[in-house]
Amino acid sequence: MDLRIPHSEPSPDERAAVDALLGAPASGWDGGDRDVALDGRVARRGLRAIEARRDLLLPAIEAVQARVGWVSKAALDYIARRLTVPPAEVWGVASFYHLIDLEPAPPVVAHVCDDIACRNAGAEDVCAALGAEGAVADGATWKRSPCLGLCELAPAALLVRAGATPTTEVVAPATAAAIATARAAVDGPADASAGARRGDARLDEVRRSVPQAGDASLQLLARVGVVDPGSLDDYRRHGGYRGLTRAIELGGAGVIAELTAGRLVGRGGAAFPTGRKWQAVAGQTERTRYVVCNADESEPGTFKDRILMEWDPFAVIEGMTIAGLTAGAEHGYVYVRGEYPVAAARLQAAIDAARAAGLLGADVAGTGARFDVEIRRGAGAYICGEETSLFNSLEGFRGEPRSKPPYPVAVGLFGKPTVVNNVETLANVPVLLTAGGAAFAAQGSGTSTGPKLYCVSGHVARPGLYEAPFGVTVRDLLALAGGTSRGRPVRAVLLGGAAGSFVGADALDVPLTLEGLRAIGATLGSGVVMVFDDGADLPGVLRRIAQFFRDESCGQCVPCRVGTVRQDEALHRLAARPPAAAVADDRALLAELGQAMRDASICGLGQTASAAIESALALGLGDPVADAPTTGGAR
Amino acid sequence: MSADHDDGADRVWFEPPPRSVRLPMAPPTPAPATITLEIDGREVQVADGSSLLDACASIGVETPTLCFLKTLTPVNACRVCVVELEGSRTLVPSCARKAEAGMKVHTDSPRVRLSRKLVLELLGSSVDLSQAPDVARWMARYDAHPERFGADAATVAQPVKDDNDLYVRDYARCILCYKCVEACGTDAQNTFAIAVAGRGFDARVATEADVPLPASACVYCGNCIGVCPTNALVFKSEHVMRGKGTWAPERQTTTDTICSYCGVGCTLTLHAQDGRIVKVTSPLDASVTEGNLCIKGRFGFDFVDDEPAGDG
Amino acid sequence: MFGAGGGTSSYREIEETDLVLLWGSNARETHPIFFHHVLKGLHRGGRLVTVDPRRTSSAQWADLWLGLDVGSDIAVANAVGREIIAAGLANQEFIAEATTGFEAYRAAVEPCTLAWAEAQSGVPAEAIRELAHAYATAPRAMLCWTLGITEHHNAVDNVLSLINLALLCGHVGRFGSGINPLRGQNNVQGGGDMGALPDRLPGFQHVENAPLRARFDAAWGVAVPPERGWHLTGMFEAMDRGELRGLYVLGENPAQSEADQHRTIRLLEGLEHLVVQDLFLTRTAELADVVLPAAAGWCESDGTVTNSERRVQRVRRAVPPPGAARDDLEIVFEIARRLGADWGAPDPEAVWDELRRVSPAHAGMSYARLEELGGIQWPCWDDQHPGELFLHSRLWERPVVGPRAGFHPCTHEPPIEALDAEYPLRLTTGRRLSEYNTGVQSGAYANPLRRRETLDISPEDAARLGVGEGEVVRVSSRRGAVDVPIHLDDALRPGLTFMTFHFPDDVATNLITIDATDPKAGTAEFKAAAIRVDRLSP
């Protein structure tokens, strides 16, 4: 055999998990029983089939993880055989993701977030109470996790139980006791009613995360908590699919004109004009095109996309459908981060309902156009939020970024022209089309138009997702969130997440617009507004951010792979209160590292890995002496 | 074919073939347009489709590269070849970036020098580069001081993997340039015995589950060794000689010849020391091999040196 | 092909063609770097179809693999030809303008229906049909083969049956379309080109063609014998008849490489005088009266070799030969001198320049140009000529320049040795990646891939025989028996077994192979013996 795949036998569970995804093997040459009469005479799928179904590699690995709780080498070999992917590459992919365990693990794992928002809320105390990380007791273990996107409920944990019907449970606020209680509950049957709670109960639940829920003036969050996220009828009764109807009336060129008039820009962080992106794809000579919804929301401090997907999933599907019709794509993917099981489940239900109603499929809403959507799950890799890494991940390769140019509008998923948009951006599309471009552009200010979602967390009284126009100030948001939580003054605000930047208390009145923040060297990024009062352990936060980038660097390029390590090391040296000369050296080193990472890294991860740290140090926020922790557990 | 045909009636087997009327040629491809760009203030003309690295080379601007090799797809991972392109927010990798008309490029600006210096320092502080010949020169050129990251800086130091008779893998020297993975993969050998595994600073070139090479798909073509820029992958023979202190490149000659095994006609470069073949490589520009060999061509030379065991 | 004894095409074309049809060749293992070019083509979107009894590592790359019964190649080829004609896919213009004998071919293949071929070969008719359509409809297609075609009792017909397909589709003489035997051994091509064939003079010029021969008579000042000699198997037959009594063997090991080893050794032992010139004291050399130790041509001497794309390439001395070993050229010159012909000092370049004077196809290949151009593909008519990328473009001139190419109807004949109750398994032989022929060269190096000789059998046969991996069994044919360990290989189907001949000192595979040979080419039927397998212990 040229493709040398060991003949190790997967366990029945592992085989069942893979076969449930891939179907039964077609021949003895791809892992089935050998039918000598045929397999001895003809084979039709050569090794070049490596490319053919490779995109099912990560789903297959995830299926085993979900079923068994870890993925054995025998299971990987079986997947290799089924998909004709070399075992070394299967290993390379499987070992890339946090959420894939390649060593035996118990069926239940509590992923305990120790990232900045949860750290602010005492995550270190939770971890300390849980004992040794990785220790197994009662068929369960626990691990630290980077941001779970539950910052408004911090400190948070996510319990995952592997099995034929895997279940998950969010524990927030997390304590060792709450995790233990949930651990018992997670052994029971899945709570099918979670998404279908009615009326006030639902609204109450949602208001924990979206304090404005139910407010009639909301646009993006109008249906959140108000409608049953599983009901297409409910969605339609509340304005759903009016955007698609309008898009069909307008036609492709008309939609692009409206988007351009509305000056909608991407909400994922890069703020690229959406109309231009769609137009670029629509204008390609290549006819096979894709729409990708980037739902790999992993930026620490960000949870807006999760809430949209969980509580208004049809809006995302509607936005994608409009994108598909406009760009001439017949297939769309939603790449949902692995830490969002509920979002993925509700999106899947929405896709199924939309398809059943003729709003997806071979003839979308009677237009004769074909468009359908498939969900793919991430498996724990921040880098996969970078669009080209996301493509690689989705195609079954390691989630490493690609060199740009070429850009996705020309060479994207599977090498084809691709519209890739963030969840929030897509949710804006029906809003914009329903209101009209001009009305949309009338909101906000300058190039920052339309409604915006802000993920407010940290030391505020009512952390949560807030909708407000572009141009509000941090002080406005602080007011919405009930002020600081501990009655202490604001020391710093982290805007845009770990890849964003810190601003001081003097920036509370800067308008949160793209241009307003650019003027002070900051960025709104994914809409994170994380507040730190003067009791926050800012040096510890900086080290956590440095560790985050060190952990999440894919390792492809030198500046990021080694630079994030050196940055982390320098911050640890600074924390040891060295002599002034050494501090100065390390500050200079950090500045040079930052410059090289920003200039020479392949992708946005490395390019922004020093941004928050450099901004804090520039403001004197992370000084190990001046900002020594006064409360909270530093790690 | 050597088989004769003797039915007598057929002259074509008997007469030499007539000379072609027209020279057999590949279908013509249109010559690429020439584009003009500016590098370090000098106007440069290159064929459309050239990389910035090609453009720099065409005017004698030496650009350091580690992960680039002309026979492999650029992965632009090492970033030591970055240049400053006016209008670009970040520096761009010259190996992968195509030259475009009107570009203005700077190859020795402070930003370029800083990034190249840092890349060399980051590698030098984490990887053993002592057998990477060009790196020391570049370190001097960019005033790189890897030691400034301190004695406690994390490194990729690890035990040598010595698990077979032909290769040694010393990943303490590995800069993760991906060249070996590409050579083992679709760019040459298509055996896929190795891939990058793990992530971030812990990413490593590995077989599946890091099994020893003999348990992997490896077919010992040595094409990975042929492309390794740092001697992380090295022939066992060289490794042993280096260990004994008998490896003496200054006493070595190189001679191009043709492999004596099958009839494909692979060009071998024989590295001989003291009248013995000590290493076999193949030139990247040999049309038959493009630098690649199989196990027999690469390693099967011992028979001229020793009495074979028995005669079998 | 058609008067020029070489593959028609270049490796580069393999990368740029639309379809490669690899027939009876496991190039992935036997021609690894050639297969690199195939793989480049695959990655560019080309297709690969393989025809081979085993699903070899080459076949694993194929978009379509046909696992035919050993020795049923002509049945499949004829059915492919019939299907191409029946489906209207034949290249009528090319057939009309550039070929002869089409009607006879059509008539000959008419009975060869897909169903008939399925019965003869075991390959489902549908798969044969797929092959026919894929080959005929590809804009460009390459047909390549190796010993799977030629190590049969009907080797020449096997080859002709494939060439017929190329003629049918016009897949020859164009860029990306050609027919190519892959040379199993270094410089087999060059040896033939230099006249090391029973009927050829240097430059592949026929010895029985008087005007050609006259050129050599004039150049050498002697009368060249006007008749062809014997090929290898013919020599052994002549030994058997007592007509051949002395033999000078250069760089061959027939005592181990020929089929039916008992007979070969008996004949060699019966010679009056045997001279062996070799790098090693081979099994053949052990039988010799005189052994002349030779230098290794590829690294201890200077000269040229010619590869499977007709590229003449320089070999160079990198290390001195050991001990008393001498360059082949030196030895031959010395023998000539002692026979009374003083050729002067042996100089490889001078010998080569002499060849250029007598072989028009090599005329333009000075050492300087070979160096400069990295080898040159013959023909190279003069010192301005770049060599030819592919042969037979003349067949696409209208009218055709030179003779047309002829169809040669071929009839399927199964292997000489049919399977029966006593010897129910088919044994076929071949090579492995890391080994080479009888192992005199490849046996010396440390080789992590080396596993000694095995009888490879299907898991189903192993189960039926009650044998497991590694168990030593007795393999018997009508000619002899060897004891060899079992290796299970799912590239094999029940009834089909495989051995190499790399380890003749451990397991003399050629004790059991059959010595039936092709009457035209003299090639032996290494590929098809009938065997039985018995457990050594109950």
Side-chain angles (χ1 to χ4, degrees), chain C residues 25 62 81 119 122 139 141 157 181 206 229-230 233 279 288 334 337 340 351 355 367 373 420 453 463 476 538:
Chain C
S25 165
D157 280 354
H206 208 290
W230 288 307
T233 43
L279 277 59
E334 182 61 23
R337 197 179 62 77
V351 172
L355 179 270
Y367 265 27
L373 300 175
D420 60 20
E453 189 63 86
S476 318

Tab-separated table of all heavy atoms in Angstrom, chain C residues 25 62 81 119 122 139 141 157 181 206 229-230 233 279 288 334 337 340 351 355 367 373 420 453 463 476 538:
chain	number	residue	atom	x	y	z
C	25	SER	N	2.700	-2.101	-15.213
C	25	SER	CA	3.837	-1.378	-14.659
C	25	SER	C	3.499	-0.892	-13.267
C	25	SER	O	2.466	-0.275	-13.060
C	25	SER	CB	4.166	-0.173	-15.542
C	25	SER	OG	5.031	0.702	-14.835
C	62	ALA	N	-4.632	5.369	-9.038
C	62	ALA	CA	-5.398	5.434	-10.282
C	62	ALA	C	-6.847	5.834	-10.046
C	62	ALA	O	-7.459	5.457	-9.054
C	62	ALA	CB	-5.340	4.087	-10.984
C	81	GLY	N	-10.004	-2.000	-28.063
C	81	GLY	CA	-9.983	-1.558	-29.454
C	81	GLY	C	-11.341	-1.726	-30.113
C	81	GLY	O	-11.843	-0.808	-30.789
C	119	ALA	N	-14.788	-12.566	-19.685
C	119	ALA	CA	-14.604	-13.999	-19.450
C	119	ALA	C	-13.117	-14.370	-19.500
C	119	ALA	O	-12.657	-15.238	-18.752
C	119	ALA	CB	-15.390	-14.805	-20.487
C	122	GLY	N	-11.374	-11.664	-16.420
C	122	GLY	CA	-11.945	-11.488	-15.085
C	122	GLY	C	-12.346	-10.058	-14.774
C	122	GLY	O	-12.962	-9.784	-13.748
C	139	PRO	N	-8.100	14.169	-24.786
C	139	PRO	CA	-7.451	14.941	-25.845
C	139	PRO	C	-5.990	14.518	-26.059
C	139	PRO	O	-5.519	14.457	-27.173
C	139	PRO	CB	-7.531	16.383	-25.331
C	139	PRO	CG	-8.673	16.391	-24.377
C	139	PRO	CD	-8.684	15.030	-23.748
C	141	ALA	N	-3.180	11.468	-24.540
C	141	ALA	CA	-3.068	10.299	-23.672
C	141	ALA	C	-1.730	9.615	-23.876
C	141	ALA	O	-1.230	9.512	-24.993
C	141	ALA	CB	-4.205	9.322	-23.936
C	157	ASP	N	3.556	-9.510	-29.039
C	157	ASP	CA	2.131	-9.306	-29.335
C	157	ASP	C	1.473	-8.437	-28.267
C	157	ASP	O	0.601	-7.625	-28.569
C	157	ASP	CB	1.406	-10.646	-29.448
C	157	ASP	CG	1.639	-11.289	-30.822
C	157	ASP	OD1	2.263	-10.626	-31.677
C	157	ASP	OD2	1.210	-12.432	-31.015
C	181	PRO	N	7.685	2.372	-23.403
C	181	PRO	CA	8.143	1.323	-22.500
C	181	PRO	C	9.048	1.966	-21.464
C	181	PRO	O	9.902	2.783	-21.819
C	181	PRO	CB	8.929	0.395	-23.420
C	181	PRO	CG	9.415	1.264	-24.530
C	181	PRO	CD	8.438	2.412	-24.665
C	206	HIS	N	19.723	-1.439	-38.512
C	206	HIS	CA	19.559	-2.879	-38.688
C	206	HIS	C	20.757	-3.478	-39.408
C	206	HIS	O	21.156	-3.004	-40.467
C	206	HIS	CB	18.268	-3.173	-39.465
C	206	HIS	CG	17.696	-4.506	-39.121
C	206	HIS	ND1	18.285	-5.683	-39.499
C	206	HIS	CD2	16.604	-4.846	-38.403
C	206	HIS	CE1	17.566	-6.698	-39.049
C	206	HIS	NE2	16.538	-6.216	-38.360
C	229	GLY	N	22.497	-11.972	-34.780
C	229	GLY	CA	22.933	-13.019	-33.862
C	229	GLY	C	21.779	-13.525	-33.009
C	229	GLY	O	20.615	-13.408	-33.396
C	230	TRP	N	22.136	-14.080	-31.873
C	230	TRP	CA	21.114	-14.609	-30.969
C	230	TRP	C	20.785	-13.608	-29.864
C	230	TRP	O	21.687	-12.938	-29.348
C	230	TRP	CB	21.633	-15.878	-30.279
C	230	TRP	CG	21.727	-17.067	-31.158
C	230	TRP	CD1	20.743	-17.603	-31.934
C	230	TRP	CD2	22.881	-17.888	-31.333
C	230	TRP	NE1	21.214	-18.711	-32.585
C	230	TRP	CE2	22.527	-18.926	-32.233
C	230	TRP	CE3	24.188	-17.885	-30.827
C	230	TRP	CZ2	23.411	-19.928	-32.634
C	230	TRP	CZ3	25.063	-18.883	-31.217
C	230	TRP	CH2	24.681	-19.885	-32.110
C	233	THR	N	17.870	-15.636	-24.802
C	233	THR	CA	17.285	-16.979	-24.709
C	233	THR	C	17.709	-17.829	-25.895
C	233	THR	O	17.860	-19.046	-25.764
C	233	THR	CB	15.753	-16.888	-24.616
C	233	THR	OG1	15.307	-15.915	-25.547
C	233	THR	CG2	15.321	-16.496	-23.232
C	279	LEU	N	31.260	-6.233	-11.511
C	279	LEU	CA	31.702	-5.591	-10.281
C	279	LEU	C	31.853	-6.596	-9.153
C	279	LEU	O	32.605	-6.386	-8.216
C	279	LEU	CB	30.668	-4.553	-9.816
C	279	LEU	CG	30.684	-3.166	-10.407
C	279	LEU	CD1	30.495	-3.225	-11.907
C	279	LEU	CD2	29.576	-2.333	-9.787
C	288	ALA	N	32.617	-19.081	-13.821
C	288	ALA	CA	33.427	-18.653	-14.959
C	288	ALA	C	34.838	-19.224	-14.915
C	288	ALA	O	35.381	-19.536	-13.862
C	288	ALA	CB	33.495	-17.135	-15.001
C	334	GLU	N	41.906	-3.620	-23.999
C	334	GLU	CA	43.041	-4.504	-23.730
C	334	GLU	C	42.842	-5.860	-24.419
C	334	GLU	O	43.772	-6.437	-24.984
C	334	GLU	CB	43.213	-4.674	-22.211
C	334	GLU	CG	44.387	-5.519	-21.779
C	334	GLU	CD	45.741	-4.953	-22.227
C	334	GLU	OE1	45.827	-3.728	-22.478
C	334	GLU	OE2	46.707	-5.735	-22.353
C	337	ARG	N	43.526	-5.391	-27.956
C	337	ARG	CA	44.954	-5.322	-28.209
C	337	ARG	C	45.571	-6.717	-28.225
C	337	ARG	O	46.343	-7.069	-29.094
C	337	ARG	CB	45.631	-4.458	-27.139
C	337	ARG	CG	47.031	-3.963	-27.512
C	337	ARG	CD	47.639	-3.101	-26.424
C	337	ARG	NE	47.817	-3.808	-25.165
C	337	ARG	CZ	48.805	-4.682	-24.916
C	337	ARG	NH1	49.712	-4.939	-25.820
C	337	ARG	NH2	48.891	-5.293	-23.744
C	340	GLY	N	45.090	-8.534	-31.209
C	340	GLY	CA	45.834	-8.044	-32.355
C	340	GLY	C	45.318	-6.763	-32.951
C	340	GLY	O	45.768	-6.346	-34.010
C	351	VAL	N	35.586	7.476	-28.150
C	351	VAL	CA	34.666	6.399	-28.539
C	351	VAL	C	33.304	6.989	-28.871
C	351	VAL	O	32.652	6.632	-29.861
C	351	VAL	CB	34.549	5.355	-27.413
C	351	VAL	CG1	33.468	4.343	-27.722
C	351	VAL	CG2	35.890	4.658	-27.200
C	355	LEU	N	31.003	7.039	-32.360
C	355	LEU	CA	29.572	6.700	-32.444
C	355	LEU	C	28.815	7.802	-33.177
C	355	LEU	O	27.966	7.546	-34.031
C	355	LEU	CB	29.039	6.481	-31.028
C	355	LEU	CG	27.569	6.129	-30.765
C	355	LEU	CD1	26.702	7.338	-30.568
C	355	LEU	CD2	26.984	5.189	-31.802
C	367	TYR	N	30.151	15.878	-26.193
C	367	TYR	CA	30.215	15.932	-24.723
C	367	TYR	C	29.917	17.349	-24.237
C	367	TYR	O	29.230	17.557	-23.234
C	367	TYR	CB	31.598	15.480	-24.229
C	367	TYR	CG	31.695	14.019	-23.855
C	367	TYR	CD1	30.853	13.072	-24.442
C	367	TYR	CD2	32.614	13.574	-22.908
C	367	TYR	CE1	30.949	11.731	-24.099
C	367	TYR	CE2	32.714	12.235	-22.554
C	367	TYR	CZ	31.884	11.308	-23.154
C	367	TYR	OH	31.969	9.997	-22.804
C	373	LEU	N	23.489	21.164	-22.053
C	373	LEU	CA	22.031	21.042	-22.102
C	373	LEU	C	21.486	20.066	-21.055
C	373	LEU	O	20.293	19.809	-21.015
C	373	LEU	CB	21.593	20.613	-23.504
C	373	LEU	CG	21.992	21.577	-24.634
C	373	LEU	CD1	21.625	21.013	-25.994
C	373	LEU	CD2	21.328	22.943	-24.429
C	420	ASP	N	-4.252	-25.710	-12.621
C	420	ASP	CA	-5.020	-26.955	-12.529
C	420	ASP	C	-5.127	-27.361	-11.069
C	420	ASP	O	-4.681	-26.634	-10.179
C	420	ASP	CB	-4.376	-28.047	-13.395
C	420	ASP	CG	-2.940	-28.349	-12.965
C	420	ASP	OD1	-2.569	-28.011	-11.809
C	420	ASP	OD2	-2.187	-28.897	-13.786
C	453	GLU	N	12.536	-12.166	1.218
C	453	GLU	CA	11.580	-12.715	0.260
C	453	GLU	C	10.372	-13.296	0.986
C	453	GLU	O	10.503	-13.907	2.049
C	453	GLU	CB	12.254	-13.814	-0.559
C	453	GLU	CG	11.407	-14.293	-1.726
C	453	GLU	CD	11.160	-13.176	-2.736
C	453	GLU	OE1	12.004	-12.980	-3.622
C	453	GLU	OE2	10.121	-12.490	-2.598
C	463	ALA	N	-6.316	-17.627	4.581
C	463	ALA	CA	-7.301	-18.238	5.478
C	463	ALA	C	-7.641	-19.649	4.997
C	463	ALA	O	-7.747	-20.599	5.785
C	463	ALA	CB	-8.554	-17.364	5.535
C	476	SER	N	5.657	-24.768	-4.671
C	476	SER	CA	6.147	-25.695	-5.695
C	476	SER	C	5.537	-25.355	-7.037
C	476	SER	O	4.383	-24.938	-7.129
C	476	SER	CB	5.745	-27.136	-5.362
C	476	SER	OG	5.917	-27.392	-3.992
C	538	PRO	N	2.067	-29.844	9.698
C	538	PRO	CA	0.619	-30.009	9.605
C	538	PRO	C	-0.123	-29.142	10.608
C	538	PRO	O	0.442	-28.711	11.576
C	538	PRO	CB	0.410	-31.495	9.909
C	538	PRO	CG	1.686	-32.001	10.477
C	538	PRO	CD	2.769	-31.017	10.180
